[in-house]
Coordinates of all heavy atoms in Angstrom, one line a residue:
F20 N -97.2 38.7 -129.7 CA -97.4 38.3 -131.1 C -96.2 37.5 -131.6 O -95.1 37.8 -131.3 CB -97.6 39.5 -132.0 CG -98.9 40.3 -131.9 CD1 -98.9 41.5 -131.2 CD2 -100.0 39.8 -132.4 CE1 -100.1 42.2 -131.0 CE2 -101.2 40.4 -132.2 CZ -101.2 41.7 -131.6
D21 N -96.5 36.5 -132.3 CA -95.5 35.7 -133.0 C -95.7 35.9 -134.5 O -96.6 35.3 -135.1 CB -95.6 34.2 -132.6 CG -94.5 33.4 -133.2 OD1 -94.0 33.8 -134.3 OD2 -94.1 32.3 -132.7
Y22 N -95.0 36.9 -135.0 CA -95.2 37.2 -136.4 C -94.9 36.1 -137.4 O -95.5 35.9 -138.4 CB -94.5 38.5 -136.8 CG -95.0 39.7 -136.1 CD1 -94.4 40.3 -135.0 CD2 -96.2 40.3 -136.5 CE1 -94.9 41.4 -134.3 CE2 -96.7 41.4 -135.9 CZ -96.1 42.0 -134.8 OH -96.6 43.0 -134.2
T23 N -93.8 35.3 -137.0 CA -93.4 34.2 -137.9 C -94.5 33.2 -138.0 O -94.8 32.7 -139.1 CB -92.1 33.6 -137.3 OG1 -91.1 34.6 -137.1 CG2 -91.6 32.5 -138.2
M24 N -95.1 32.8 -136.9 CA -96.2 31.8 -136.9 C -97.6 32.4 -137.0 O -98.5 31.6 -137.1 CB -96.1 31.0 -135.5 CG -94.8 30.3 -135.3 SD -94.4 29.0 -136.5 CE -95.7 27.8 -136.0
S25 N -97.7 33.7 -137.1 CA -99.0 34.4 -137.2 C -99.9 34.0 -136.0 O -101.1 33.6 -136.2 CB -99.7 34.1 -138.5 OG -99.0 34.6 -139.6
L26 N -99.4 34.1 -134.8 CA -100.1 33.7 -133.6 C -100.1 34.9 -132.7 O -99.1 35.7 -132.6 CB -99.5 32.6 -132.9 CG -99.5 31.2 -133.5 CD1 -98.6 30.2 -132.7 CD2 -100.9 30.7 -133.6
A27 N -101.2 35.1 -132.0 CA -101.3 36.1 -131.0 C -101.7 35.4 -129.7 O -102.5 34.4 -129.7 CB -102.4 37.2 -131.3
T28 N -101.3 35.9 -128.6 CA -101.7 35.3 -127.3 C -102.5 36.4 -126.6 O -102.0 37.5 -126.4 CB -100.4 35.0 -126.4 OG1 -99.7 34.0 -127.1 CG2 -100.9 34.4 -125.1
L29 N -103.7 36.0 -126.3 CA -104.6 37.0 -125.6 C -105.3 36.2 -124.5 O -105.9 35.1 -124.7 CB -105.7 37.4 -126.6 CG -106.7 38.4 -126.1 CD1 -106.1 39.7 -125.6 CD2 -107.8 38.7 -127.2
L30 N -105.2 36.8 -123.3 CA -105.8 36.1 -122.1 C -105.3 34.7 -121.9 O -106.1 33.8 -121.6 CB -107.3 36.2 -122.1 CG -107.9 37.6 -122.2 CD1 -109.4 37.5 -122.4 CD2 -107.6 38.4 -120.9
G31 N -104.1 34.5 -122.2 CA -103.5 33.1 -122.0 C -103.8 32.1 -123.1 O -103.4 31.0 -123.0
Q32 N -104.5 32.6 -124.1 CA -104.9 31.6 -125.2 C -104.2 32.0 -126.5 O -104.1 33.2 -126.8 CB -106.4 31.7 -125.5 CG -107.2 31.1 -124.4 CD -108.7 31.1 -124.7 OE1 -109.0 30.8 -125.8 NE2 -109.5 31.4 -123.7
Q33 N -103.6 31.1 -127.2 CA -103.0 31.3 -128.5 C -104.1 31.4 -129.6 O -105.0 30.5 -129.6 CB -102.0 30.3 -128.9 CG -100.7 30.5 -128.2 CD -99.6 29.7 -128.8 OE1 -99.8 28.7 -129.4 NE2 -98.3 30.3 -128.7
I34 N -104.1 32.4 -130.4 CA -105.0 32.5 -131.5 C -104.3 32.7 -132.8 O -103.4 33.5 -133.0 CB -105.9 33.8 -131.2 CG1 -106.6 33.7 -129.9 CG2 -106.8 34.1 -132.4 CD1 -107.2 35.0 -129.4
S35 N -104.7 31.8 -133.8 CA -104.1 31.9 -135.1 C -104.7 33.1 -135.8 O -105.9 33.2 -136.1 CB -104.5 30.6 -135.9 OG -104.1 30.8 -137.2
L36 N -103.8 33.9 -136.3 CA -104.2 35.1 -137.1 C -104.4 34.7 -138.5 O -104.9 35.6 -139.3 CB -103.1 36.2 -136.9 CG -102.9 36.7 -135.5 CD1 -101.9 37.7 -135.4 CD2 -104.2 37.2 -134.8
K37 N -104.1 33.5 -138.9 CA -104.4 33.0 -140.3 C -105.9 32.7 -140.4 O -106.5 32.9 -141.4 CB -103.6 31.8 -140.6 CG -102.1 32.0 -140.7 CD -101.3 30.7 -140.9 CE -99.8 31.0 -140.8 NZ -99.1 29.7 -140.9
D38 N -106.5 32.3 -139.3 CA -107.9 31.8 -139.2 C -108.8 32.8 -138.6 O -110.0 32.7 -138.7 CB -108.0 30.5 -138.5 CG -107.1 29.4 -139.1 OD1 -106.9 29.4 -140.3 OD2 -106.5 28.7 -138.3
T39 N -108.3 33.8 -137.8 CA -109.1 34.6 -137.0 C -108.7 36.1 -137.2 O -107.5 36.4 -137.2 CB -108.9 34.2 -135.5 OG1 -109.2 32.9 -135.3 CG2 -109.7 35.1 -134.6
N40 N -109.7 37.0 -137.3 CA -109.4 38.4 -137.2 C -110.4 39.1 -136.3 O -110.4 40.3 -136.2 CB -109.4 39.0 -138.6 CG -110.6 38.9 -139.4 OD1 -111.7 38.4 -138.9 ND2 -110.6 39.3 -140.7
V41 N -111.3 38.3 -135.6 CA -112.2 38.9 -134.6 C -112.2 38.0 -133.4 O -112.3 36.8 -133.5 CB -113.7 39.0 -135.2 CG1 -114.6 39.5 -134.1 CG2 -113.8 39.9 -136.4
V42 N -112.0 38.6 -132.3 CA -112.0 37.9 -131.0 C -113.1 38.5 -130.1 O -113.1 39.7 -129.8 CB -110.6 38.0 -130.3 CG1 -110.6 37.2 -128.9 CG2 -109.5 37.5 -131.2
F43 N -114.0 37.7 -129.7 CA -115.1 38.1 -128.8 C -114.7 37.9 -127.4 O -114.5 36.8 -127.0 CB -116.4 37.3 -129.1 CG -117.0 37.5 -130.5 CD1 -116.5 36.8 -131.6 CD2 -118.1 38.3 -130.6 CE1 -117.1 37.0 -132.8 CE2 -118.7 38.5 -131.9 CZ -118.2 37.9 -133.0
V44 N -114.6 39.0 -126.6 CA -114.2 38.9 -125.2 C -115.4 39.4 -124.4 O -115.9 40.5 -124.7 CB -112.9 39.8 -125.0 CG1 -112.6 39.7 -123.5 CG2 -111.8 39.3 -125.8
D45 N -115.8 38.6 -123.4 CA -116.9 39.0 -122.6 C -116.5 39.0 -121.1 O -115.4 38.6 -120.8 CB -118.1 37.9 -122.8 CG -119.4 38.5 -122.5 OD1 -119.5 39.7 -122.0 OD2 -120.4 37.7 -122.6
E46 N -117.4 39.5 -120.3 CA -117.2 39.6 -118.9 C -116.0 40.3 -118.5 O -115.3 40.0 -117.5 CB -117.2 38.2 -118.3 CG -118.6 37.4 -118.6 CD -118.7 36.1 -117.9 OE1 -118.0 35.9 -116.8 OE2 -119.4 35.3 -118.4
V47 N -115.7 41.4 -119.2 CA -114.5 42.2 -118.9 C -114.5 42.9 -117.6 O -113.5 43.2 -117.0 CB -114.2 43.2 -120.1 CG1 -113.9 42.5 -121.3 CG2 -115.3 44.2 -120.2
D48 N -115.7 43.1 -117.1 CA -115.9 43.8 -115.8 C -116.3 42.8 -114.7 O -116.6 43.3 -113.6 CB -116.9 44.9 -115.9 CG -118.2 44.5 -116.4 OD1 -118.4 43.3 -116.8 OD2 -119.2 45.3 -116.4
S49 N -116.2 41.5 -114.9 CA -116.6 40.6 -113.8 C -115.4 40.3 -112.9 O -114.2 40.6 -113.3 CB -117.0 39.2 -114.4 OG -115.9 38.5 -114.9
Q50 N -115.7 39.9 -111.7 CA -114.6 39.6 -110.8 C -113.7 38.4 -111.3 O -112.5 38.4 -111.0 CB -115.2 39.2 -109.4 CG -115.7 40.4 -108.6 CD -116.0 40.0 -107.2 OE1 -116.3 38.9 -106.9 NE2 -116.0 41.0 -106.3
A51 N -114.3 37.5 -112.0 CA -113.5 36.4 -112.6 C -112.5 36.9 -113.7 O -111.6 36.2 -114.0 CB -114.4 35.3 -113.1
G52 N -112.8 38.1 -114.3 CA -112.0 38.6 -115.3 C -112.6 38.3 -116.7 O -113.5 37.4 -116.8
P53 N -112.0 38.9 -117.7 CA -112.5 38.7 -119.1 C -112.2 37.3 -119.6 O -111.3 36.6 -119.1 CB -111.7 39.7 -119.9 CG -110.5 40.0 -119.1 CD -110.9 39.8 -117.6
K54 N -113.0 36.8 -120.5 CA -112.8 35.5 -121.1 C -113.1 35.6 -122.6 O -114.0 36.3 -123.0 CB -113.6 34.4 -120.4 CG -115.1 34.5 -120.6 CD -115.8 33.4 -119.9 CE -117.2 33.5 -120.0 NZ -117.9 32.4 -119.4
I55 N -112.4 34.8 -123.4 CA -112.6 34.7 -124.8 C -113.8 33.8 -125.0 O -113.7 32.6 -124.5 CB -111.4 34.3 -125.6 CG1 -110.3 35.3 -125.4 CG2 -111.7 34.0 -127.0 CD1 -109.0 34.9 -126.0
V56 N -114.9 34.2 -125.7 CA -116.0 33.4 -125.8 C -116.2 32.8 -127.2 O -116.9 31.9 -127.5 CB -117.3 34.1 -125.4 CG1 -117.3 34.4 -123.9 CG2 -117.5 35.4 -126.2
R57 N -115.5 33.5 -128.2 CA -115.6 33.1 -129.6 C -114.6 33.8 -130.4 O -114.2 34.9 -130.1 CB -117.0 33.4 -130.1 CG -117.4 32.8 -131.4 CD -118.9 32.8 -131.7 NE -119.2 34.0 -132.4 CZ -120.3 34.8 -132.2 NH1 -121.2 34.4 -131.3 NH2 -120.6 35.8 -132.9
V58 N -114.1 33.1 -131.5 CA -113.3 33.7 -132.5 C -113.9 33.4 -133.8 O -114.5 32.4 -134.0 CB -111.8 33.2 -132.4 CG1 -111.2 33.6 -131.0 CG2 -111.7 31.7 -132.6
E59 N -113.6 34.3 -134.8 CA -114.0 34.0 -136.1 C -113.3 34.9 -137.1 O -112.5 35.8 -136.7 CB -115.6 34.2 -136.3 CG -116.1 35.6 -136.1 CD -117.6 35.6 -136.3 OE1 -118.3 35.0 -135.5 OE2 -118.1 36.2 -137.3
R60 N -113.5 34.7 -138.3 CA -112.9 35.5 -139.4 C -114.0 36.1 -140.2 O -115.0 35.5 -140.6 CB -112.1 34.6 -140.3 CG -111.4 35.3 -141.4 CD -110.2 34.5 -141.9 NE -109.4 35.3 -142.8 CZ -108.5 36.2 -142.5 NH1 -108.3 36.5 -141.2 NH2 -107.8 36.9 -143.4
V61 N -113.9 37.4 -140.4 CA -114.8 38.2 -141.3 C -114.1 38.7 -142.5 O -112.8 38.7 -142.5 CB -115.5 39.3 -140.5 CG1 -116.2 38.8 -139.3 CG2 -114.4 40.4 -140.1
D62 N -114.8 39.0 -143.5 CA -114.3 39.5 -144.7 C -113.5 40.8 -144.4 O -114.0 41.8 -143.9 CB -115.4 39.8 -145.7 CG -114.9 40.4 -147.0 OD1 -113.7 40.5 -147.2 OD2 -115.8 40.8 -147.8
P63 N -112.2 40.8 -144.7 CA -111.4 42.0 -144.3 C -111.3 43.1 -145.4 O -110.7 44.1 -145.1 CB -110.0 41.3 -144.1 CG -109.9 40.2 -145.0 CD -111.3 39.7 -145.1
T64 N -111.9 42.8 -146.5 CA -111.9 43.9 -147.5 C -112.7 45.0 -147.2 O -113.8 44.9 -146.7 CB -112.3 43.3 -148.9 OG1 -113.6 42.8 -148.8 CG2 -111.3 42.2 -149.4
L65 N -112.2 46.2 -147.5 CA -112.9 47.4 -147.1 C -113.0 48.4 -148.3 O -112.0 48.4 -149.1 CB -112.3 48.1 -145.9 CG -112.3 47.4 -144.6 CD1 -111.3 48.0 -143.6 CD2 -113.7 47.3 -144.1
P66 N -114.0 49.2 -148.4 CA -114.0 50.2 -149.5 C -113.0 51.3 -149.2 O -112.4 51.4 -148.0 CB -115.4 50.8 -149.4 CG -116.0 50.4 -148.1 CD -115.2 49.2 -147.6
A67 N -112.7 52.1 -150.1 CA -111.6 53.1 -150.0 C -112.0 54.2 -149.0 O -111.1 54.9 -148.5 CB -111.3 53.8 -151.4
S68 N -113.3 54.4 -148.7 CA -113.7 55.5 -147.8 C -114.7 54.9 -146.8 O -115.3 53.9 -147.0 CB -114.3 56.7 -148.6 OG -115.5 56.3 -149.2
G69 N -114.9 55.7 -145.7 CA -115.8 55.3 -144.7 C -115.1 54.8 -143.5 O -113.9 54.5 -143.5
D70 N -115.8 54.7 -142.4 CA -115.3 54.2 -141.1 C -115.2 52.7 -141.2 O -116.2 52.0 -141.2 CB -116.2 54.6 -139.9 CG -115.6 54.2 -138.6 OD1 -115.2 53.1 -138.4 OD2 -115.7 55.1 -137.7
P71 N -113.9 52.1 -141.2 CA -113.8 50.7 -141.3 C -114.5 49.9 -140.2 O -115.1 48.8 -140.5 CB -112.3 50.5 -141.3 CG -111.6 51.7 -140.9 CD -112.7 52.8 -141.0
G72 N -114.5 50.4 -139.0 CA -115.1 49.6 -137.9 C -116.6 49.5 -138.2 O -117.2 48.5 -138.0
L73 N -117.2 50.7 -138.5 CA -118.7 50.7 -138.8 C -119.0 49.8 -140.0 O -120.1 49.1 -140.0 CB -119.2 52.1 -139.0 CG -119.2 53.0 -137.7 CD1 -119.7 54.4 -138.1 CD2 -120.1 52.4 -136.7
I74 N -118.2 49.9 -141.0 CA -118.5 49.1 -142.2 C -118.5 47.6 -141.9 O -119.4 46.8 -142.3 CB -117.4 49.4 -143.3 CG1 -117.7 50.8 -143.8 CG2 -117.5 48.4 -144.4 CD1 -116.6 51.4 -144.6
V75 N -117.5 47.1 -141.1 CA -117.4 45.7 -140.7 C -118.6 45.3 -139.9 O -119.3 44.3 -140.1 CB -116.1 45.4 -140.0 CG1 -116.1 44.0 -139.4 CG2 -114.9 45.5 -141.0
L76 N -118.9 46.2 -138.9 CA -120.1 45.9 -138.0 C -121.4 45.8 -138.8 O -122.2 44.9 -138.5 CB -120.2 47.0 -136.9 CG -119.2 46.9 -135.8 CD1 -119.2 48.1 -134.9 CD2 -119.4 45.6 -134.9
R77 N -121.6 46.7 -139.7 CA -122.9 46.7 -140.4 C -123.1 45.5 -141.3 O -124.2 45.1 -141.5 CB -122.9 48.0 -141.3 CG -123.2 49.2 -140.4 CD -123.2 50.5 -141.3 NE -123.6 51.6 -140.5 CZ -123.3 52.9 -140.8 NH1 -122.6 53.1 -141.9 NH2 -123.6 53.8 -140.0
R78 N -122.0 44.9 -141.8 CA -122.2 43.7 -142.6 C -122.1 42.4 -141.9 O -122.2 41.3 -142.5 CB -121.2 43.8 -143.8 CG -119.8 43.6 -143.5 CD -119.0 43.7 -144.8 NE -117.6 43.6 -144.5 CZ -116.6 44.1 -145.2 NH1 -116.9 44.8 -146.3 NH2 -115.4 43.9 -144.9
Q79 N -121.8 42.5 -140.6 CA -121.7 41.2 -139.8 C -122.7 41.3 -138.6 O -122.3 41.8 -137.5 CB -120.3 41.1 -139.2 CG -119.2 41.0 -140.2 CD -119.3 39.7 -141.1 OE1 -119.1 39.8 -142.3 NE2 -119.6 38.6 -140.5
P80 N -123.9 40.9 -138.8 CA -125.0 41.0 -137.7 C -124.6 40.4 -136.4 O -124.9 40.9 -135.3 CB -126.2 40.3 -138.3 CG -125.9 40.3 -139.8 CD -124.5 40.3 -140.0
E81 N -123.8 39.3 -136.4 CA -123.4 38.7 -135.2 C -122.5 39.5 -134.3 O -122.5 39.5 -133.1 CB -122.8 37.3 -135.4 CG -121.5 37.3 -136.2 CD -121.6 37.3 -137.7 OE1 -122.7 37.6 -138.2 OE2 -120.6 37.1 -138.4
L82 N -121.7 40.4 -135.0 CA -120.9 41.4 -134.2 C -121.7 42.4 -133.5 O -121.5 42.7 -132.3 CB -119.9 42.1 -135.2 CG -118.9 41.2 -135.9 CD1 -118.0 42.1 -136.8 CD2 -118.1 40.4 -135.0
V83 N -122.8 42.9 -134.2 CA -123.7 43.9 -133.6 C -124.4 43.2 -132.4 O -124.6 43.8 -131.4 CB -124.6 44.5 -134.6 CG1 -125.6 45.4 -134.0 CG2 -123.8 45.2 -135.7
E84 N -124.9 42.0 -132.6 CA -125.6 41.3 -131.6 C -124.7 41.1 -130.3 O -125.2 41.3 -129.2 CB -126.0 39.9 -132.1 CG -126.8 39.1 -131.1 CD -127.1 37.7 -131.6 OE1 -127.4 37.6 -132.9 OE2 -127.1 36.7 -130.9
F85 N -123.5 40.9 -130.5 CA -122.5 40.7 -129.4 C -122.4 42.0 -128.6 O -122.1 42.0 -127.4 CB -121.2 40.2 -129.9 CG -120.2 39.9 -128.8 CD1 -120.4 38.7 -128.1 CD2 -119.2 40.7 -128.4 CE1 -119.6 38.3 -127.0 CE2 -118.4 40.4 -127.4 CZ -118.5 39.2 -126.7
L86 N -122.6 43.2 -129.2 CA -122.5 44.4 -128.5 C -123.6 44.6 -127.5 O -123.5 45.4 -126.6 CB -122.5 45.6 -129.5 CG -121.4 45.7 -130.5 CD1 -121.6 46.9 -131.5 CD2 -120.1 46.0 -129.7
Q87 N -124.7 43.9 -127.6 CA -125.8 44.0 -126.7 C -126.3 45.4 -126.6 O -126.4 46.0 -125.5 CB -125.4 43.4 -125.3 CG -125.0 42.0 -125.3 CD -124.5 41.4 -124.0 OE1 -123.9 42.1 -123.2 NE2 -124.8 40.2 -123.8
C88 N -126.6 46.0 -127.7 CA -127.0 47.4 -127.8 C -128.3 47.7 -126.9 O -128.4 48.8 -126.5 CB -127.3 47.8 -129.2 SG -125.8 47.9 -130.2
D89 N -129.1 46.7 -126.7 CA -130.3 47.0 -125.9 C -130.1 46.9 -124.4 O -131.0 47.2 -123.6 CB -131.4 46.1 -126.3 CG -131.9 46.3 -127.7 OD1 -131.8 47.5 -128.2 OD2 -132.2 45.3 -128.4
L90 N -128.9 46.5 -124.0 CA -128.6 46.3 -122.5 C -128.2 47.7 -122.0 O -127.4 48.4 -122.6 CB -127.4 45.3 -122.4 CG -127.0 45.0 -121.0 CD1 -128.1 44.2 -120.3 CD2 -125.7 44.2 -121.0
R91 N -128.7 48.0 -120.8 CA -128.4 49.3 -120.1 C -127.3 49.0 -119.1 O -127.3 47.9 -118.5 CB -129.6 49.8 -119.4 CG -130.8 50.0 -120.2 CD -130.9 51.3 -121.1 NE -130.6 52.5 -120.3 CZ -130.3 53.6 -121.0 NH1 -130.1 53.6 -122.3 NH2 -130.0 54.7 -120.3
V92 N -126.3 49.9 -119.0 CA -125.3 49.7 -118.0 C -125.3 50.9 -117.0 O -125.8 52.0 -117.4 CB -123.9 49.6 -118.7 CG1 -123.7 48.4 -119.5 CG2 -123.5 50.8 -119.5
S93 N -124.8 50.7 -115.8 CA -124.9 51.7 -114.8 C -123.9 52.8 -115.0 O -124.1 53.9 -114.5 CB -124.7 51.1 -113.4 OG -123.5 50.4 -113.3
D94 N -122.8 52.6 -115.6 CA -121.8 53.6 -115.9 C -122.2 54.5 -117.0 O -122.4 54.1 -118.1 CB -120.4 52.9 -116.3 CG -119.3 53.9 -116.5 OD1 -119.4 54.8 -117.3 OD2 -118.2 53.7 -115.8
A95 N -122.4 55.8 -116.6 CA -123.0 56.8 -117.6 C -122.1 57.0 -118.8 O -122.6 57.1 -119.9 CB -123.2 58.1 -116.9
V96 N -120.8 57.0 -118.6 CA -119.9 57.1 -119.8 C -119.9 55.9 -120.7 O -120.0 56.1 -121.9 CB -118.4 57.4 -119.3 CG1 -117.4 57.4 -120.4 CG2 -118.3 58.7 -118.4
M97 N -120.0 54.7 -120.1 CA -120.0 53.5 -121.0 C -121.4 53.5 -121.7 O -121.5 53.1 -122.8 CB -119.8 52.3 -120.1 CG -118.4 52.1 -119.7 SD -117.2 52.1 -121.1 CE -117.7 50.7 -122.0
Q98 N -122.5 53.9 -121.0 CA -123.8 53.9 -121.6 C -123.8 54.9 -122.8 O -124.4 54.5 -123.9 CB -124.9 54.2 -120.6 CG -126.3 54.2 -121.2 CD -126.6 52.8 -121.7 OE1 -126.4 51.8 -121.0 NE2 -127.2 52.7 -122.9
A99 N -123.2 56.0 -122.6 CA -123.2 57.0 -123.7 C -122.4 56.5 -124.9 O -122.7 56.7 -126.0 CB -122.6 58.3 -123.2
L100 N -121.2 55.9 -124.6 CA -120.4 55.3 -125.7 C -121.1 54.2 -126.4 O -121.1 54.1 -127.6 CB -119.1 54.8 -125.1 CG -118.1 54.2 -126.0 CD1 -117.7 55.2 -127.1 CD2 -116.9 53.7 -125.3
T101 N -121.8 53.3 -125.6 CA -122.6 52.2 -126.2 C -123.7 52.8 -127.1 O -123.9 52.3 -128.3 CB -123.2 51.3 -125.2 OG1 -122.1 50.8 -124.4 CG2 -124.0 50.2 -125.8
A102 N -124.4 53.8 -126.6 CA -125.5 54.4 -127.4 C -124.9 55.0 -128.7 O -125.5 54.9 -129.8 CB -126.2 55.4 -126.6
L103 N -123.8 55.7 -128.6 CA -123.2 56.3 -129.8 C -122.8 55.2 -130.8 O -123.2 55.4 -132.0 CB -121.9 57.1 -129.4 CG -121.1 57.7 -130.5 CD1 -121.9 58.8 -131.2 CD2 -119.8 58.2 -130.0
V104 N -122.1 54.2 -130.4 CA -121.7 53.2 -131.4 C -122.9 52.4 -131.9 O -123.0 52.2 -133.2 CB -120.7 52.2 -130.7 CG1 -120.4 51.0 -131.6 CG2 -119.4 52.9 -130.3
C105 N -123.8 52.0 -131.1 CA -124.9 51.3 -131.5 C -125.8 52.1 -132.5 O -126.3 51.6 -133.4 CB -125.7 50.8 -130.3 SG -124.9 49.4 -129.4
G106 N -125.9 53.4 -132.2 CA -126.7 54.3 -133.0 C -126.1 54.4 -134.4 O -126.8 54.4 -135.4
Q107 N -124.8 54.5 -134.5 CA -124.1 54.6 -135.8 C -124.2 53.3 -136.5 O -124.3 53.3 -137.8 CB -122.6 55.0 -135.5 CG -122.4 56.4 -135.1 CD -121.0 56.7 -134.8 OE1 -120.2 55.8 -134.5 NE2 -120.6 57.9 -135.0
V108 N -124.1 52.2 -135.9 CA -124.2 50.9 -136.5 C -125.6 50.6 -137.1 O -125.8 50.1 -138.2 CB -123.8 49.7 -135.6 CG1 -124.1 48.4 -136.2 CG2 -122.4 49.8 -135.2
R109 N -126.6 51.0 -136.3 CA -128.0 50.8 -136.7 C -128.5 51.8 -137.8 O -129.4 51.4 -138.6 CB -128.9 50.9 -135.5 CG -128.7 49.7 -134.6 CD -129.6 49.9 -133.4 NE -129.6 48.7 -132.6 CZ -130.1 48.6 -131.3 NH1 -130.5 49.7 -130.8 NH2 -130.0 47.5 -130.7
S110 N -127.9 52.9 -137.9 CA -128.3 53.9 -139.0 C -127.5 53.6 -140.2 O -126.2 53.5 -140.2 CB -128.1 55.3 -138.6 OG -126.7 55.6 -138.4
Q111 N -128.1 53.4 -141.3 CA -127.4 53.0 -142.6 C -127.8 53.9 -143.7 O -128.8 54.4 -144.0 CB -127.7 51.6 -142.9 CG -127.1 50.7 -141.8 CD -127.1 49.2 -142.3 OE1 -127.0 48.9 -143.4 NE2 -127.2 48.3 -141.3

């Protein structure tokens, strides 16, 4: 992190933290390795109570879509984690 310039370096790419607070990383388990596919900025304001991650996910449909909740994975632990998160995001 470069706090002075508000820059972060992730996977060899510099990301402006003035313009970005969400980084979409895909293919984390591929042989080629993870890659940044998109960056964006979402409304960072949060209510005083509740799970901040779930609140942000629920109001940003593109974040939920990126989770690929309907995709099944072979790793049982990852599948259970995905089901848990996606279930919480979908129930409102």
Side-chain angles (χ1 to χ4, degrees):
F20 289 104
D21 181 333
Y22 292 103
T23 305
M24 300 294 292
S25 293
L26 292 172
T28 302
L29 180 64
L30 300 173
Q32 294 183 38
Q33 281 196 333
I34 299 167
S35 168
L36 301 178
K37 294 176 185 174
D38 305 322
T39 302
N40 61 7
V41 177
V42 179
F43 293 81
V44 179
D45 203 359
E46 300 186 27
V47 296
D48 56 353
S49 74
Q50 284 191 337
K54 65 179 182 178
I55 296 171
V56 294
R57 191 165 91 218
V58 297
E59 67 181 64
R60 182 158 188 80
V61 300
D62 179 4
T64 58
L65 296 168
S68 64
D70 183 316
L73 289 177
I74 291 166
V75 170
L76 285 169
R77 286 178 177 156
R78 68 180 180 208
Q79 300 295 138
E81 65 276 12
L82 299 179
V83 177
E84 181 181 325
F85 188 76
L86 292 177
Q87 300 176 327
C88 289
D89 296 325
L90 183 67
R91 307 276 311 157
V92 295
S93 60
D94 183 305
V96 173
M97 287 306 298
Q98 184 60 48
L100 180 59
T101 300
L103 175 69
V104 171
C105 290
Q107 290 177 331
V108 170
R109 289 178 171 164
S110 67
Q111 296 191 27

